[in-house]
Amino acid sequence: MAFNLLNKDIETLTCPALVVFSKSSSQKDKLAKVTHSELNKKLAACLEEKSITGKHQEAVTFREINYKGFRHVIVVGLGKENQIDHESVRQSVATAFEAVKALGVKEAALHFDGITSSKKDAADFTKATVEGLILTSYVFNELMSAKKEEKEIDVHIVTKLAADKAVKAAFNEGVILATCTNFSRRLGDMPGNLMTPTILADSAVDAAKGTGLKVTVWDKARIKKERMGGLLGVSNGSAQEPRFIIMEYKGAAASKKPVVFVGKGLTFDCGGISIKPSAGMEEMKFDMCGGANVIGTLLAIAKLKLKINAVGLVASTENLVGPAATKPGDVHTARNGKTFEVNNTDAEGRLILADALSYATELEPQVIVDAATLTGAMVVALGNTHTGYFTRNSALKNKVEKAAVESGEWVWNMPLVDFHVKDMKGTYADLSNISAGKGAGSATAAAFLEQFVGEGIPWAHFDIAGTGWAVGNRLPYCTKKGASGVMVRTFVELAKQHA
Ligand code: BES
Ligand code: ZN
Ligand code: ZN
């Protein structure tokens, strides 16, 4: 696939397919409009009979219309004018790409100037357009013996503003963000046997080549030496070695405190001795999506050359039932010296994050942000629409909200109070890994994590259990079942605010 900005007069272009847009009217009885004035006239009858309504994500294909230099024309609905924003554009473009794919053509021109005539929105929408195209073009078929021939499709984003500096920069940024998100999605989509902690770490090392990122990987012996009792304890039931991945980016003076991202990299979670039910267990290959998305975030930060210092930390292991597996009741000691009882071996994410957050604290960061497919309770609370996040820092909350508006990803602030902390007290050790109380399983998990974050360090925890994969029902640029790469774009926006 190739996507480019093209500074050409669309009227003089020759291309197998042309994508133009339509907008519905905010007035009840008014007809929709096609945003290309000549086609608006030509397709007047279709507008009149409402076969083009301008509805968001509607695609009407006119095969063999032979309009000027174009064999086919696709009209994609943008919705009502006042409801168009960069996220709706991202989704409309996804619809456009699917319609182009269905035509079977190799090349298409997208009439971008029809989306907006405002220079202010142009950069923002250019970024959304190229993100929508790249995200939608992602396919995961590398494990099929007979690979379906994926046709290479070139899409030209045709705009008079192609030479505008801000538009160009936005295009480049969109390419980086979406490409890094797709990189994370692939890590997530790989099955547990082909995405072990070792392979995950090697993938981070390989991807970082040439980006200026320094990647250090700790093996089991080093993890032991570094007193990471949580990560080690979870890995005890597995034949695969755990890994602790450290990605460092230096884009500012050494004196500038780093922004630290932490990810849960559970490459397969069967629950351990507190084993999960079989049905749906295969989905637990996605339990490393927090880690995968942190790797994607660091790659994007480095490629964008942000003027910050950033560190990505991914604790990676399997959670299985081998003879040496942690047993319910076992007590382990985290890196910061705190002890915990493992009363349910399936609540393992918090144990590996405990060590990673302790290590993050030692880096004296500006801020710590973590992403984890941490609790089933998060899925119950928010389904797959919003990523629930927890923070007690109101300034950071504001930054998160702003970042999410910029990225178009939905987040929801969840409560975290002292009662949740109380529920996580242990009987025989400092902490228990499951709550003594009823309900609020995502908040009590967050309260457990908080015990490993240094006093006074702004920290936010993102529980992506519901949004890490299988969001295709609501996001047309994501696959139905696959990983979403959620939070890569938001985390990059958040990083920018710490420059
Ligand atoms: N990886 C799971 C959480 C999860 C469940 C993510 C479903 C996405 C979909 C996590 O390790 C887990 O099993 N958590 C337990 C914690 C409980 C035992 C306190 C859970 O949520 O049931
Ligand atoms: Zn678990
Ligand atoms: Zn898990």
Side-chain angles (χ1 to χ4, degrees):
M1 308 291 159
F3 309 107
N4 69 313
L5 270 179
L6 188 62
N7 191 2
K8 264 209 176 135
D9 183 358
I10 197 130
E11 312 305 327
T12 64
L13 211 63
T14 304
C15 193
L18 168 67
V19 177
V20 294
F21 295 92
S22 60
K23 290 177 185 172
S24 51
S25 168
S26 36
Q27 279 157 289
K28 216 171 149 223
D29 299 320
K30 268 197 144 177
L31 294 177
K33 268 198 176 129
V34 174
T35 62
H36 180 280
S37 58
E38 219 177 278
L39 280 168
N40 187 55
K41 278 187 211 126
K42 196 173 162 68
L43 300 172
C46 298
L47 292 161
E48 189 70 41
E49 69 189 20
K50 298 201 169 117
S51 51
I52 297 174
T53 69
K55 232 172 85 182
H56 185 224
Q57 285 181 52
E58 169 186 272
V60 185
T61 300
F62 296 90
R63 283 180 188 266
E64 309 298 349
I65 188 173
N66 289 312
Y67 169 73
K68 293 195 173 162
F70 307 100
R71 235 180 101 189
H72 316 290
V73 169
I74 302 165
V75 184
V76 172
L78 293 171
K80 289 181 186 154
E81 175 89 56
N82 60 354
Q83 286 172 356
I84 299 170
D85 61 17
H86 64 87
E87 177 57 18
S88 78
V89 167
R90 210 173 276 112
Q91 298 186 11
S92 303
V93 167
T95 306
F97 188 78
E98 293 299 350
V100 169
K101 224 169 132 178
L103 270 178
V105 294
K106 282 196 183 138
E107 201 183 353
L110 201 133
H111 181 229
F112 179 82
D113 292 332
I115 303 180
T116 180
S117 50
S118 134
K119 212 168 169 180
K120 196 175 126 270
D121 287 337
D124 215 18
F125 289 178
T126 302
K127 182 167 159 232
T129 297
V130 72
E131 282 177 6
L133 288 170
I134 295 175
L135 292 171
T136 314
S137 72
Y138 172 83
V139 281
F140 181 71
N141 61 4
E142 66 189 85
L143 304 177
M144 299 283 187
S145 63
K147 284 200 186 50
K148 227 173 75 192
E149 258 320 298
E150 277 298 324
K151 241 192 195 143
E152 279 294 316
I153 306 175
D154 292 347
V155 180
H156 312 291
I157 304 170
V158 186
T159 168
K160 294 186 183 90
L161 294 169
D164 183 83
K165 240 177 142 180
V167 168
K168 265 179 144 168
F171 175 86
N172 290 333
E173 187 175 340
V175 170
I176 290 171
L177 286 171
T179 310
C180 292
T181 303
N182 284 352
F183 178 81
S184 297
R185 289 165 79 186
R186 180 188 165 272
L187 298 179
D189 284 340
M190 286 297 265
N193 65 319
L194 302 176
M195 192 44 66
T196 61
T198 309
I199 300 173
L200 184 67
D202 291 347
S203 307
V205 169
D206 284 350
K209 279 181 187 144
T211 64
L213 278 167
K214 179 180 165 205
V215 185
T216 312
V217 178
W218 290 353
D219 63 5
K220 188 168 185 166
R222 181 72 189 265
I223 288 166
K224 200 168 180 179
K225 204 169 144 207
E226 297 286 346
R227 310 175 321 281
M228 294 188 152
L231 178 54
L232 209 60
V234 175
S235 78
N236 277 343
S238 170
Q240 288 290 335
E241 276 211 9
R243 289 288 183 264
F244 189 69
I245 308 164
I246 306 168
M247 302 177 86
E248 292 170 273
Y249 168 71
K250 290 195 163 48
S255 58
K256 190 150 172 90
K257 289 181 168 187
V259 177
V260 180
F261 295 96
V262 173
K264 170 178 172 181
L266 235 298
T267 58
F268 191 79
D269 177 17
C270 86
I273 300 292
S274 318
I275 199 162
K276 288 180 182 294
S278 307
M281 198 201 269
E282 72 283 356
E283 288 196 3
M284 283 299 118
K285 71 170 185 178
F286 292 117
D287 213 17
M288 35 60 76
C289 282
N293 300 355
V294 162
I295 294 171
T297 299
L298 266 287
L299 289 171
I301 287 172
K303 290 181 183 192
L304 289 167
K305 300 191 166 64
L306 295 191
K307 292 189 168 49
I308 59 163
N309 293 325
V311 181
L313 303 172
V314 179
S316 183
T317 175
E318 297 178 329
N319 186 25
L320 293 180
V321 290
T326 290
K327 303 166 289 297
D330 283 2
V331 173
H332 293 302
T333 307
R335 183 175 168 89
N336 73 347
K338 287 196 185 174
T339 59
F340 48 75
E341 294 159 31
V342 182
N343 290 317
N344 186 322
T345 64
D346 197 10
E348 83 299 335
R350 61 198 75 183
L351 309 183
I352 70 171
L353 290 172
D355 290 325
L357 291 167
S358 302
Y359 184 74
T361 295
E362 293 164 29
L363 301 175
E364 296 181 6
Q366 265 194 77
V367 60
I368 302 175
V369 177
D370 78 69
T373 46
L374 204 62
T375 63
M378 194 76 257
V379 191
V380 174
L382 298 180
N384 76 357
T385 59
H386 297 69
T387 295
Y389 75 94
F390 300 79
T391 182
R392 295 217 214 192
N393 185 301
S394 60
L396 181 54
K397 174 176 177 253
N398 290 339
K399 286 183 178 133
V400 169
E401 293 292 333
K402 190 169 167 245
V405 167
E406 293 290 332
S407 72
E409 295 184 308
W410 285 355
V411 297
W412 197 259
N413 185 225
M414 301 288 292
L416 170 56
V417 295
D418 289 346
F419 286 105
H420 298 129
V421 179
K422 219 173 100 200
D423 281 346
M424 300 307 287
K425 284 230 170 340
T427 310
Y428 309 101
D430 299 340
L431 296 158
S432 165
N433 78 330
I434 54 170
S435 168
K438 266 197 181 154
S442 304
T444 50
F448 183 94
L449 297 183
E450 193 183 39
Q451 304 317 302
F452 302 90
V453 177
E455 196 77 33
I457 300 172
W459 163 68
H461 155 60
F462 290 72
D463 194 332
I464 61 166
T467 52
W469 72 94
V471 296
N473 61 320
R474 68 176 187 87
L475 296 177
Y477 47 80
C478 285
T479 49
K480 252 208 193 87
K481 288 188 171 177
S484 63
V486 73
M487 291 301 120
V488 171
R489 289 185 281 129
T490 303
F491 283 1
V492 170
E493 289 300 332
L494 203 51
K496 281 189 202 165
Q497 290 180 48
H498 289 86

